[in-house]
Amino acid sequence: MIATVWRVAGVGFSLLLVLIAALLYGDSASQHAFLNSQIGEVTIGFAVRTDDLTVLLLAVVGVVATCVQIYSLGYLHERAASYHALVTLFTAAMAAVVVADSLFLLLIGWEVMGACSYLLISHYWERREARSGAVKAFLMTRLADVGFLFGIFVLGVGAGTFRISALDPAQIDPGVLTTGTLLLLVGVVGKSAQVPLQTWLPDAMPGPSPVSALIHAATMVAAGVFLIARLYDVFAASATTMTVLAIVACVTMLYAALCAAAAVEVKRVLAWSTVSQLAIMFAALSLGTHEGRHAALFHLVTHAAFKGLLFLCAGVLLHQVGSAAFVVLRRYTRRGRLRKALPVTFVTMTIGLAALAGVPGFAGFFSKDSVLEAAWEHAHGGSVVGWFVLVSVGLTAGLTAFYCMRLWLWVFFRTPALAGAVGAFEADDPMADLEDPDTSKLKDASWLMLAPLVLLALGAIALGYVDGLHLNWVVALASTVVVIFGVLPAYSLWSRGADPRPVLLEREFGVDRAYHALFVVPVRWLSKLSVLGDRDVVGAYVRAVGRSGALASQGFRLLQTGNVQTYLTAAVVGVVALAVLAGVIAS
Amino acid sequence: MPLVLPLLLAVVLFCLGVYGVLARRNAVTILMSLELMLNAVNLNLIAFDAWRLDGLATGQTLAVFVITLAAAEIGLGLAIVLLLFRGHGHVDADAARDLAEADEREESPT
């Protein structure tokens, strides 16, 4: 217990330190290198730096991690020690990524995060889906990390330095630059769960909710956005990479939003929405303009607040109700109990969903607007990518509003049209013939869990105004209209008690199934083959050695008669034979 | 007296001893044969001592040692034979096969 408090206090203290340091020294860039070693012609070493980006990300990471740690005290009771230690390590790894000025230090933090996410997702390792989700996350991010590693090599060798601050795109050969940034992009795509490596993030949901909040809001997936923002000059110098990034981001945001619209579990909806929102950040980055980068980082910060909030809210649902599946929540909601039993959670989750949907006045609205604005300006400059991004983000905004409204209505409001029935989710209700749950004991979580919710809810509103209000009224109006167009169908479907989920969307376009057939099945065959080779080919020789030894010893056993005189006779014969032999040799 | 005569006698004695140890079944006879071999060696020692005359009489000294050793050894040997007799009711070296690898059939009753 003391150790846990100590760890929580440690994270909070480091947050305080960052804020004080930011206040004292401002955000002027400074760097410090250490442990340099000369290998051939290149210098490999560690270096840290602070600048505006570092301070911003450290503050975000610190706030979210502190909230998550405090929340976890109330949320988690089994294996808490290892859990808190891993969360702290996770946070530290993200901090290492953020402050790194050496590509290798960045890589270390990047990899430690991968390992921590694996361990934390499989926190409930007795559950099968938690184990397989963790393995999936690990394998997919590792696959991407191979690209990341080679990207570092290509860029570092091409530029002659592994210091981020010394990377000058003008001095790198354009071909090398494109190759390097594309390889780095592979790592980013894996870490931030973009198409085609998006499937691990929704499957990571069996992990504890606070961990999901941490992964989705501050660490891990945000690292991808951070990396591109950090190496923005280098990325922007390669038009090919930026185009690829734009295509990946636009496909991902629409795909993920569509998947979220058909998911039937709160956390899965939120996971897909994270993928979609990250894609919006990448789309803003892919514009290649300063405004784009600014908008992406703005969206990253507001997203950290409201997505952290939403995941912690989902955690409250899991903790108090026992499940975050729509069908289970509907069993409480259809009598109108859930909202009244969990008032704080209801209010904060409403704020979070409003921010995610981009309702005017909430943080998500302003940050999404700045993305749209940047795309708008870029599109006016005659850029195809700009138009592409603009249209995709607009469509995604509508879809986001749709699934937020759907989630909000179905989880918290009883449907008059259904007259108390579970409704559209009955088909997958595992407890359909059971009695209604006893809702009288349902109450809101402890204040230890609710305090972070309130704090983040305040952030989800207030963070929208910190950037200064500079709205482009046309864009703002258009995005509001889009949000309304997204909200209305969700409302009308809900009021009729219908939730049509196309099979294609429910199966998430069959990507998982295709990956299974394309990669998992052949790998299984290969592993079966190698097991056969090991057991029946290599193992056969090993076993044959043992068996021949046993056979030989069976022959020698016959000599052990137990008769002392036989042994002595053998000894005498042997001595005589040796003597004769010695004589023959001597002569 | 030429050296070869006592040496021949010693060879005969030793071979008798070897034969006794290897071929006789009575444990006491085997012990006696052992003594025969030891004494053949003693004879060798004395004969070579008389032949070399090194003034220190090392051969004779060693022979006295061997006799002492033989006395101790026969005590030990007889004790073993006695135990063998007590345990098995006979002193037949052929029948005392406790050191043989036990077949599973024979092992189970004990």
Side-chain angles (χ1 to χ4, degrees):
Chain A
M1 187 63 207
I2 294 170
T4 309
V5 170
W6 180 242
R7 275 188 288 269
V8 175
V11 173
F13 179 69
S14 64
L15 165 68
L16 213 64
L17 217 62
V18 168
L19 294 182
I20 290 171
L23 283 178
L24 284 183
Y25 295 103
D27 51 9
S28 55
S30 74
Q31 305 141 18
H32 178 66
F34 54 97
L35 285 178
N36 287 319
S37 52
Q38 192 81 22
I39 298 170
E41 287 177 2
V42 292
T43 308
I44 291 179
F46 297 103
V48 293
R49 78 187 235 169
T50 55
D51 54 14
D52 48 351
L53 188 59
T54 309
V55 172
L56 179 76
L57 260 288
L58 278 182
V60 168
V61 171
V63 171
V64 174
T66 311
C67 284
V68 163
Q69 289 271 34
I70 293 171
Y71 179 91
S72 303
L73 289 179
Y75 182 83
L76 207 102
H77 304 292
E78 48 181 320
R79 298 195 277 273
S82 71
Y83 169 82
H84 280 286
L86 281 172
V87 168
T88 311
L89 181 62
F90 205 157
T91 317
M94 184 64 189
V97 166
V98 170
V99 300
D101 190 39
S102 150
L103 284 170
F104 282 99
L105 185 60
L106 198 148
L107 179 73
I108 290 171
W110 189 271
E111 298 290 347
V112 171
M113 271 201 289
C116 284
S117 71
Y118 167 76
L119 291 167
L120 283 170
I121 292 167
S122 61
H123 180 77
Y124 300 116
W125 44 257
E126 60 275 6
R127 288 196 212 150
R128 189 182 161 75
E129 72 266 23
R131 292 197 302 270
S132 54
V135 169
K136 193 172 184 181
F138 191 67
L139 286 180
M140 286 194 130
T141 49
R142 290 299 313 180
L143 181 71
D145 287 348
V146 175
F148 189 74
L149 182 63
F150 279 89
I152 287 179
F153 289 152
V154 169
L155 265 190
V157 172
T161 175
F162 288 93
R163 290 282 297 275
I164 291 172
S165 51
L167 280 180
D168 183 8
Q171 287 178 355
I172 310 175
D173 181 60
V176 173
L177 188 72
T178 304
T179 318
T181 46
L182 277 177
L183 283 169
L184 281 182
L185 191 62
V186 172
V188 168
V189 160
K191 210 64 159 185
S192 294
Q194 303 293 295
V195 168
L197 295 172
Q198 78 285 18
T199 57
W200 70 265
L201 197 62
D203 281 5
M205 287 302 105
S209 289
V211 169
S212 305
L214 192 66
I215 290 180
H216 288 243
T219 60
M220 194 81 179
V221 294
V225 179
F226 164 79
L227 182 81
I228 293 186
R230 171 62 94 207
L231 295 172
Y232 203 55
D233 294 340
V234 182
F235 271 87
S238 167
T240 318
T241 310
M242 289 317 244
T243 313
V244 171
L245 180 65
I247 293 168
V248 165
C250 292
V251 170
T252 307
M253 68 173 87
L254 289 170
Y255 168 84
L258 284 171
C259 289
V264 290
E265 214 246 331
V266 175
K267 283 185 76 180
R268 207 171 171 86
V269 174
L270 294 178
W272 278 121
S273 91
T274 303
V275 176
S276 171
Q277 299 296 313
L278 284 167
I280 290 179
M281 297 172 211
F282 283 124
L285 287 170
S286 75
L287 295 173
T289 58
H290 183 259
E291 290 79 29
R293 178 174 185 265
H294 183 81
L297 289 174
F298 186 26
H299 198 52
L300 178 70
V301 173
T302 58
H303 177 260
F306 64 72
K307 192 48 66 70
L309 167 66
L310 284 172
F311 268 107
L312 294 184
C313 287
V316 173
L317 292 179
L318 267 169
H319 192 254
Q320 301 305 114
V321 179
S323 168
F326 278 11
V327 61
V328 179
L329 295 173
R330 286 297 293 167
R331 297 181 75 82
Y332 292 86
T333 307
R334 63 182 174 185
R335 306 255 181 270
R337 284 285 310 161
L338 198 60
R339 193 161 23 114
K340 285 163 195 146
L342 310 169
V344 181
T345 313
F346 169 66
V347 172
T348 50
M349 197 159 181
T350 307
I351 293 171
L353 285 171
L356 173 60
V359 173
F362 293 92
F365 171 74
F366 295 107
S367 56
K368 201 177 292 177
D369 239 39
S370 65
V371 173
L372 281 170
E373 221 177 291
W376 174 252
E377 273 168 27
H378 199 56
H380 262 283
S383 156
V384 183
V385 171
W387 282 111
F388 199 46
V389 169
L390 188 66
V391 172
S392 307
V393 174
L395 281 175
T396 310
L399 280 167
T400 309
F402 173 79
Y403 66 69
C404 286
M405 193 65 179
R406 170 175 173 266
L407 175 73
W408 190 57
L409 289 172
W410 281 105
V411 168
F412 286 114
F413 293 90
R414 65 191 293 263
T415 323
L418 290 174
V422 176
F425 305 99
E426 226 147 357
D428 42 31
D429 187 359
M431 304 180 291
D433 20 314
L434 290 180
E435 285 291 299
D436 246 16
D438 179 19
T439 54
S440 57
K441 284 190 188 129
L442 194 65
K443 60 176 175 34
D444 225 339
S446 66
W447 276 105
L448 211 53
M449 288 163 73
L450 293 181
L453 292 189
V454 175
L455 179 70
L456 286 173
L458 289 178
I461 300 172
L463 280 177
Y465 301 93
V466 293
D467 196 35
L469 285 171
H470 44 75
L471 282 177
N472 180 337
W473 290 105
V474 182
V475 173
L477 205 66
S479 82
T480 312
V481 170
V482 165
V483 167
I484 290 169
F485 270 112
V487 165
L488 281 179
Y491 178 78
S492 87
L493 281 173
W494 166 80
S495 62
R496 276 184 281 135
D499 184 51
R501 296 188 296 275
V503 180
L504 189 65
L505 294 190
E506 262 204 317
R507 290 196 184 146
E508 288 153 7
F509 296 92
V511 171
D512 248 346
R513 217 170 270 196
Y515 282 0
H516 188 82
L518 271 178
F519 301 112
V520 179
V521 172
V523 167
R524 288 227 173 108
W525 273 105
L526 211 63
S527 63
K528 256 181 210 161
L529 200 69
S530 67
V531 165
L532 280 182
D534 185 44
R535 196 180 51 203
D536 297 345
V537 179
V538 178
Y541 288 109
V542 177
R543 280 194 299 277
V545 169
R547 207 160 288 163
S548 62
L551 275 176
S553 73
Q554 245 157 19
F556 285 121
R557 277 164 74 182
L558 297 176
L559 294 177
Q560 303 293 319
T561 58
N563 189 338
V564 186
Q565 283 167 321
T566 318
Y567 301 159
L568 277 175
T569 312
V572 168
V573 169
V575 165
V576 170
L578 277 178
V580 170
L581 200 66
V584 169
I585 290 170
S587 66
Chain B
M1 196 166 70
L3 183 62
V4 71
L5 290 180
L7 288 191
L8 270 178
L9 181 61
V11 166
V12 171
L13 274 178
F14 193 86
C15 288
L16 276 176
V18 168
Y19 168 77
V21 167
L22 294 187
R24 300 308 292 254
R25 295 170 63 193
N26 193 317
V28 180
T29 321
I30 290 173
L31 276 180
M32 285 163 63
S33 308
L34 262 177
E35 288 303 305
L36 223 49
M37 281 156 75
L38 280 172
N39 284 312
V41 172
N42 275 347
L43 198 56
N44 259 359
L45 287 170
I46 304 288
F48 276 110
D49 185 60
W51 179 62
R52 279 188 64 207
L53 288 173
D54 58 353
L56 286 171
T58 41
Q60 291 184 37
T61 321
L62 207 55
V64 173
F65 270 112
V66 172
I67 289 168
T68 326
L69 205 77
E73 174 252 302
I74 202 75
L76 206 64
L78 278 174
I80 292 171
V81 170
L82 203 62
L83 279 176
L84 184 70
F85 183 74
R86 283 204 189 142
H88 292 73
H90 62 77
V91 288
D92 190 345
D94 262 4
R97 285 176 180 254
D98 296 341
L99 284 181
E101 193 197 12
D103 284 347
E104 277 158 40
R105 259 176 333 188
E106 291 175 27
E107 203 176 24
S108 46
T110 59

